[in-house]
Amino acid sequence: MGSATRGALVGTRAALAQLGRAELQVAEDLLAVARVVGSSSQLRSALIDAEADDAQKRTLVESVFGAKITADAVTLVTAAATRRWSTGDDFIGGLEDLGYRVASESAAEGVQIDAELFAFERAVASDAELELALGSKLSPLPPKLALVDRLLAGKASPQTVAIVRHLVQQPRGRRIGELLRHAASVVADQRGFDVATVTTAVPLSADQLARLAQGLVAQAGRRVRFDTIVDPALIGGVRVQIGDDVIDGSVASRLSELRQKLAG
């Protein structure tokens, strides 16, 4: 991620904070705009054109989207378009970031969208046929969306359904599992905490989780929620991932490093 994009994300998130609590429709509008921008290189180039001033960007956003999306969504898309982005793909990612955060803000109290997304990611990861059905470029889109609706109906919040439907429609070259984990981490960040994916060969006890939590909170400087996975292939030890940071103390990892050293 370039420095321009990092600055742009700070700016768009500040715009969201000024807007206050938004509705799910605003999140759906933002994600729909991200898909439109993703499908049009001409529009994408115009919206991130460094030579165009803010007034021109605002006029363009209103002329293309003004009659199709909510006023709050227009405000946020304009806020994104008037920032500097390192690449067009980063701009799309910025719109998605806003959409996920608005979805988080629109959820009812007690609804844990990040947990729902992680649960769906685990279901996909454990079923190769399901992963192929949702992620294959050869599969037509309507059956994919129907599958998402069927799997999540009555089991997940409308916010989670909206996010997953978007990810299926616009994967941007990434695997569905990666997309779900990223969206969950953004939602968690909006709620003020990090999500640590903890993978062990056997389940951790409550006391072990408490000690691990204490150490990670001290390191991260904010609240941490655990998403635990049991994978016997690790043999022993623990693997922790928070965002892009990975702490791999598993036996399998150490054995792999040893084999590489012996082979080298």
Side-chain angles (χ1 to χ4, degrees):
M1 182 188 300
S3 58
T5 291
R6 285 192 289 271
L9 287 172
V10 171
T12 56
R13 292 167 189 174
L16 174 58
Q18 291 178 354
L19 188 64
R21 183 177 176 86
E23 301 300 322
L24 175 58
Q25 184 60 54
V26 178
E28 293 179 323
D29 287 345
L30 288 165
L31 296 177
V33 169
R35 294 193 295 274
V36 172
V37 173
S39 67
S40 173
S41 58
Q42 183 177 6
L43 177 60
R44 187 163 61 252
S45 297
L47 287 171
I48 66 169
D49 183 5
E51 300 300 322
D53 60 30
D54 288 359
Q56 291 173 310
K57 298 281 187 70
R58 188 174 297 107
T59 298
L60 178 59
V61 170
E62 291 176 350
S63 64
V64 175
F65 300 109
K68 303 174 183 177
I69 61 177
T70 59
D72 284 346
V74 169
T75 297
L76 292 173
V77 173
T78 301
T82 52
R83 263 71 182 183
R84 294 292 182 91
W85 300 88
S86 300
T87 67
D89 196 56
D90 283 355
F91 175 56
I92 298 171
L95 293 171
E96 291 176 336
D97 183 271
L98 280 173
Y100 303 152
R101 291 175 187 277
V102 172
S104 177
E105 290 294 314
S106 71
E109 186 175 355
V111 173
Q112 295 186 333
I113 303 172
D114 55 298
E116 293 178 348
L117 289 168
F118 273 117
F120 190 66
E121 187 273 330
R122 285 196 297 270
V124 171
S126 65
D127 189 330
E129 291 186 4
L130 175 57
E131 183 174 13
L132 181 62
L134 292 175
S136 174
K137 296 179 181 179
L138 302 178
S139 302
L141 186 57
K144 291 182 182 180
L145 295 176
L147 178 59
V148 169
D149 292 339
R150 186 166 67 252
L151 291 171
L152 295 180
K155 301 176 182 178
S157 63
Q159 288 80 4
T160 294
V161 174
I163 291 173
V164 176
R165 284 175 62 88
H166 168 72
L167 296 178
V168 169
Q169 291 179 81
Q170 183 165 265
R172 293 198 288 135
R174 296 170 295 174
R175 295 173 67 92
I176 186 66
E178 177 188 353
L179 295 167
L180 289 165
R181 289 191 297 272
H182 172 70
S185 67
V186 173
V187 169
D189 180 69
Q190 184 63 21
R191 295 175 59 200
F193 62 86
D194 289 326
V195 174
T197 302
V198 180
T199 307
T200 55
V202 296
L204 294 176
S205 67
D207 183 58
Q208 288 173 318
L209 278 174
R211 291 200 303 271
L212 182 58
Q214 185 176 14
L216 291 176
V217 168
Q219 180 177 333
R222 63 191 308 197
R223 294 182 297 163
V224 177
R225 190 183 69 75
F226 288 103
D227 181 60
T228 57
I229 300 173
V230 176
D231 182 1
L234 293 186
I235 305 175
V238 61
R239 181 181 187 274
V240 180
Q241 180 169 356
I242 302 179
D244 295 329
D245 297 326
V246 177
I247 305 170
D248 195 342
S250 66
V251 173
S253 174
R254 293 197 293 271
L255 288 174
S256 177
E257 291 176 359
L258 178 59
R259 283 194 295 269
Q260 290 176 4
K261 290 179 180 179
L262 291 174

